[in-house]
Amino acid sequence: ARGDFFDPSGGETAALARLQRYVWDEDRLRTYFDTRNGMIGQGYSTKFAPWLARGCISPRRIVRVCERYERARVKNKSTYWVKFELTWRDYFVYFSRKYEGKMFRAYGAKDIRE
């Protein structure tokens, strides 16, 4: 046995199961801020990225679940940060669509040299 490794299955059903398990069953949203930068194990970070990237779950759905969690259990720094980081994720998705490969230039997408 390899232990507590993350091996995501594809599709919306798997994404919703991960959301349910992470937020409600294991109550990990409560401590997200303190555990978000861990790399190994299913308890570190939300691990929603594979499903978000493929459109199996939307940031809106995750935010709605976070807001429901805040009403039912606790509103804290962890719940704020999940929503905040989803906002940054969307910002960079749209930024990269606008600037495409330009965003990787040495002087940035707008080629600003000071």
Side-chain angles (χ1 to χ4, degrees):
R2 293 178 55 192
D4 185 30
F5 68 99
F6 182 60
D7 185 23
S9 300
E12 181 185 25
T13 302
L16 295 175
R18 172 64 186 174
L19 182 61
Q20 171 68 33
R21 188 171 55 256
Y22 184 83
V23 173
W24 301 108
D25 300 344
E26 298 174 357
D27 201 25
R28 294 188 190 272
L29 180 55
R30 181 181 304 264
T31 58
Y32 170 78
F33 185 81
D34 298 319
T35 60
R36 66 195 165 111
N37 292 323
M39 298 297 287
I40 300 173
Q42 295 199 38
Y44 295 106
S45 190
T46 63
K47 305 278 195 275
F48 297 145
W51 296 289
L52 283 164
R54 288 163 183 82
C56 300
I57 194 167
S58 72
R60 266 188 204 168
R61 182 183 290 255
I62 296 169
V63 167
R64 282 196 312 264
V65 169
C66 286
E67 290 169 346
R68 192 165 5 119
Y69 178 90
E70 289 174 331
R71 290 189 300 274
R73 295 196 182 167
V74 67
K75 181 177 183 176
N76 63 14
K77 185 170 24 173
S78 291
T79 59
Y80 168 83
W81 272 89
V82 167
K83 295 185 291 183
F84 177 79
E85 289 181 350
L86 285 168
T87 303
W88 271 112
R89 177 198 171 275
D90 275 2
Y91 169 79
F92 282 110
V93 165
Y94 290 111
F95 186 90
S96 68
R97 284 183 184 166
K98 179 176 181 177
Y99 292 105
E100 298 175 334
K102 295 176 185 176
M103 65 188 280
F104 299 106
R105 290 180 178 167
Y107 293 97
K110 295 184 177 184
D111 202 33
I112 298 172
R113 300 166 195 245
E114 295 183 24

